[in-house]
Amino acid sequence: MSRLTGRTALVTGGSRGIGKGIALRLAREGALTAVHYGSNEQAAKETVAEIEAAGGAAFAVGAELGVPGDAAALWAAFDAGLAEYSAEYSAERDVEPGLDILVNNAGITAYGQTGEVAEADYDRVFAVNVRAPFFVVQQGLGRLRDGGRIVNISSGVTRIAFPVITAYSMTKGALDAFTLTLAQQLGARGITVNAVAPGLVLTDINPQLADPEERAKAAKLSVFDRVGEPADIADVVAFLASADGRWVTGQVLDATGGSFLGM
Ligand code: NAP
């Protein structure tokens, strides 16, 4: 039996990039996986199809984050998707309402040093990267079963200074603080809360990495002389999501491939 058989997971931003890697991995471990997207429904459908082709179970959940009412919209879409899935596959699988694993992964970046960031861009990156996960958790706690898991996708930029993405870095610092306090709050329910902090990963958020020269430069940041792949992050999340991760909570796990270790 796979490690997550019988579990239900929701991965925000599970349609593309790191979130897609996490969704594929959790589904491969047996979790029924809700693949959330904001605007690109096609990408979510393709991820669901990929999971199903590999013998896994998944459904898509659409909700734009970073706008008023986003968390309520996300949970309404999740509840509806789960109910639809249960009705369609009732002969094969018993699915209870609610979930066991919540991965807050959806996020955007915001470029600019302190003097360059416009108020609207600052507000937007905080709305998507901080406000949304906060209220997604707040409104999801009644659905999250005891013994569950919350994993927040942070970033190595809380440890390594990149002034060109100051506001973005601040959002991930806020997420780390949320991880710590939430872990304390939810311990009594046996729920672990952790953050995973990737370094540079090959996804659409880093279009500059399509340039081989830029990619070679970025690879040098890691002691392994390569940039990360979504699976490098997904494997860490899968550990935290499994029973093996039961004694780890309130932590930020560095998954930067040893970036800037010697600095
Ligand atoms: P990505 O390839 O750009 O994918 C972003 C995902 O989030 C997509 O599924 C997207 O769905 C969803 N999303 C973005 N904005 C949204 C919004 N407003 N509402 C709803 N969904 C939204 O990004 P990624 O590189 O995989 O990043 C995933 C997470 O890892 C982020 O939190 C990021 O900060 C973090 N991270 C990334 C790196 C890296 O180098 N890639 C490094 C450190 C941390 P739609 O396409 O439908 O909008």
Side-chain angles (χ1 to χ4, degrees):
M1 189 189 276
S2 302
R3 289 196 296 184
L4 301 178
T5 301
R7 306 288 159 124
T8 299
L10 166 64
V11 183
T12 69
S15 56
R16 298 190 288 112
I18 292 172
K20 177 177 180 176
I22 295 168
L24 292 173
R25 177 67 207 260
L26 297 183
R28 183 147 57 85
E29 296 270 5
L32 167 60
T33 303
V35 176
H36 163 264
Y37 66 94
S39 56
N40 189 341
E41 185 180 10
Q42 188 54 31
K45 281 186 170 166
E46 283 168 19
T47 301
V48 168
E50 222 176 293
I51 287 171
E52 288 172 344
F59 59 93
V61 170
E64 188 187 351
L65 301 177
V67 293
D70 52 3
L74 180 141
W75 287 117
F78 171 84
D79 292 344
L82 191 62
E84 206 177 299
Y85 178 90
S86 306
E88 197 173 339
Y89 294 95
S90 59
E92 296 159 39
R93 189 168 182 153
D94 266 344
V95 184
E96 297 291 322
L99 84 163
D100 306 282
I101 301 158
L102 168 63
V103 183
N104 285 306
N105 162 82
I108 56 170
T109 194
Y111 287 100
Q113 299 210 16
T114 305
E116 301 159 351
V117 179
E119 283 187 16
D121 294 335
Y122 179 96
D123 288 347
R124 174 81 185 144
V125 74
F126 269 82
V128 175
N129 293 7
V130 183
R131 187 183 181 280
F134 180 87
F135 287 102
V136 165
V137 167
Q138 185 195 70
Q139 294 178 32
L141 282 181
R143 291 171 176 84
L144 191 64
R145 283 185 271 278
D146 289 0
R149 300 282 188 265
I150 297 176
V151 182
N152 297 319
I153 303 303
S154 179
S155 169
V157 298
T158 60
R159 170 173 71 81
I160 307 157
F162 280 99
V164 291
I165 45 170
T166 293
Y168 169 82
S169 306
M170 290 166 69
T171 67
K172 296 304 185 178
L175 210 50
D176 289 355
F178 186 36
T179 300
L180 184 66
T181 56
L182 202 56
Q184 176 75 23
Q185 183 186 335
L186 298 182
R189 291 183 53 196
I191 296 171
T192 71
V193 186
N194 291 286
V196 174
L200 270 175
V201 179
L202 268 181
T203 70
D204 300 341
I205 217 171
N206 294 313
Q208 76 280 9
L209 296 179
D211 173 2
E213 247 177 59
E214 286 295 323
R215 195 150 147 184
K217 255 198 273 170
K220 293 271 172 257
L221 302 181
S222 158
V223 293
F224 303 122
D225 194 19
R226 69 169 176 84
V227 289
E229 301 280 349
D232 295 322
I233 312 308
D235 290 354
V236 180
V237 174
F239 157 69
L240 291 170
S242 75
D244 293 344
R246 66 194 172 280
W247 205 238
V248 180
T249 196
Q251 304 304 304
V252 180
L253 270 73
D254 183 289
T256 66
S259 293
F260 290 87
L261 272 191
M263 300 282 167

